[in-house]
Amino acid sequence: MILAGNQPYFFPYLGWWQLIKAADLFLLSDDYNFIRSGWITRNRILVEGEPFFFRIEIKGRSSYKLIKDMEVVPPNVGKKLKTLRYAYSRAPYFDNGIALAERVLSYPDTNLASFLENSIREVCAFLRITTPMKRSSELVGNALFKKEERIYDACLRTGADTYINAIGGTKLYDRDDFARHGITLKFLKSGLPEYPQFKKPFVERLSILDAIMFNSPDELQIMLEDYTLIDGSDG
């Protein structure tokens, strides 16, 4: 069984969804500390050919709080959608993207972890990703461990014999350490294919909303499969 996990992000880029698709179970790491400068409450969209931060606001931003203990400021849905209309109204699949964004932004629960989990489930449904998900906070006692020890514990509890991480984790995790715990470590290397963006130079690693606006559902399925899993020794 293949396990993957990450902190819940707001409309993350394509490679993040490939990680969910490649796993048999995905852990939403909601009992980790909030990262102020990370991607938990923001991502980038394309406005007039340039990256532009699209975000949600939260109450009392603090890196000393856990993600699951934070609250969202209810989004001004009309204003957020106006930004997306300005950016993408001429995109070929604008209707798909704006409808998805409206569903996500209109979610009534203001708990940050719940808001983000719903957004992730909405996007997964649109992308036809059926991987089961659960929160790391459901693994009672897992938070007592540190760093990779939390992963070993999560694999043991869920029955996973393989753990996959984004390619950026090659400098964080060691294959031999995982092997000593009976776990195969692999890394996901995304192809991140280019696609037309209003006939302007391609800007990579934008929010999944960008890919949804410019590509058909069938094209998105092909893009989601454009990755390889490499051994920890090959990273």
Side-chain angles (χ1 to χ4, degrees), residues 5-17 19-20 26-30 32-43 54 56 67 104 112-121 123 133 165-166 205 207-208:
N6 210 323
Q7 295 170 338
Y9 292 158
F10 183 58
F11 285 129
Y13 82 116
L14 179 69
W16 200 89
W17 305 98
L19 192 63
I20 299 181
F26 190 81
L27 279 184
L28 295 170
S29 303
D30 66 322
Y32 284 67
N33 285 78
F34 176 78
I35 300 175
R36 292 174 61 93
S37 59
W39 301 101
I40 297 172
T41 60
R42 64 177 186 170
N43 222 286
F54 186 70
I56 52 172
I67 297 168
V104 167
L112 177 60
S114 297
F115 185 91
L116 292 173
E117 179 180 354
N118 176 71
S119 73
I120 291 164
R121 291 186 181 278
V123 175
M133 286 182 283
N165 197 81
R205 292 180 177 268
S207 165
I208 190 65

Side-chain angles (χ1 to χ4, degrees), residues 14 17-18 21 100 121-130 208 212 217 220-221 224:
L14 179 69
W17 305 98
Q18 292 174 325
K21 186 176 179 63
L100 174 61
R121 291 186 181 278
E122 286 279 5
V123 175
C124 280
F126 180 84
L127 296 176
R128 308 173 202 164
I129 296 173
T130 59
I208 190 65
I212 289 171
L220 290 168
Q221 291 301 302
L224 283 167

Side-chain angles (χ1 to χ4, degrees), residues 27-96:
L27 279 184
L28 295 170
S29 303
D30 66 322
D31 56 352
Y32 284 67
N33 285 78
F34 176 78
I35 300 175
R36 292 174 61 93
S37 59
W39 301 101
I40 297 172
T41 60
R42 64 177 186 170
N43 222 286
R44 303 183 310 155
I45 61 173
L46 193 68
V47 176
E48 296 183 344
E50 298 293 333
F52 177 86
F53 278 114
F54 186 70
R55 68 182 79 220
I56 52 172
E57 302 298 330
I58 57 174
K59 301 174 183 178
R61 298 172 64 88
S62 173
S63 57
Y64 296 101
K65 291 183 179 180
L66 302 180
I67 297 168
K68 69 182 184 68
D69 295 329
M70 304 189 75
E71 294 292 316
V72 174
V73 175
N76 183 330
V77 178
K79 184 176 181 180
K80 296 292 185 185
L81 296 181
K82 183 178 180 180
T83 297
L84 291 176
R85 288 191 179 95
Y86 178 76
Y88 292 109
S89 62
R90 295 182 293 107
Y93 299 97
F94 169 76
D95 289 345
N96 289 344

